[in-house]
Amino acid sequence: MVPPVDGVVAFYFHGNVRCATCKKIEAYADEAVHSGFAESLEDGELSWQVVNIDEPENRHFVQDFQLVTRSVVLVEYRNGQVVRWENLDKVWQLVRSKDLFVEYVQNETQEFLGTS
């Protein structure tokens, strides 16, 4: 994955082993980003990336973003460098309610984009 020079990436980080809940988190997050931010995705302000952190070239993300489990992370890049990031750690608590999950991801993403 080549980071953008400037912009925000909504990442879903997963591993080789993917349980049903992990797949649901990815699907809900994908829907939240694509249904809530079509314009931002189209103009390049935001992008969506799904990354396998068990791949050798992606293992650095575990340390970069202090990952302890499968995660949705918002990352702002400026001049190709990470300037800030936020782990949306409530996704595991909200995965049983799609509506609350999508609302949480969209609210957090909107707030993150608003401050970039």
Side-chain angles (χ1 to χ4, degrees), residues 72-92:
V72 177
V73 179
L74 302 173
V75 182
E76 181 181 1
Y77 290 90
R78 290 285 169 239
N79 299 315
Q81 301 296 312
V82 173
V83 293
R84 68 188 174 103
W85 57 273
E86 180 182 350
N87 187 334
L88 303 187
D89 55 2
K90 292 183 183 159
V91 295
W92 283 92

Side-chain angles (χ1 to χ4, degrees), residues 29 31 33 60 70 85 113 115:
E31 180 177 324
V33 169
H60 67 92
R70 305 329 182 211
W85 57 273
L113 288 171
T115 58

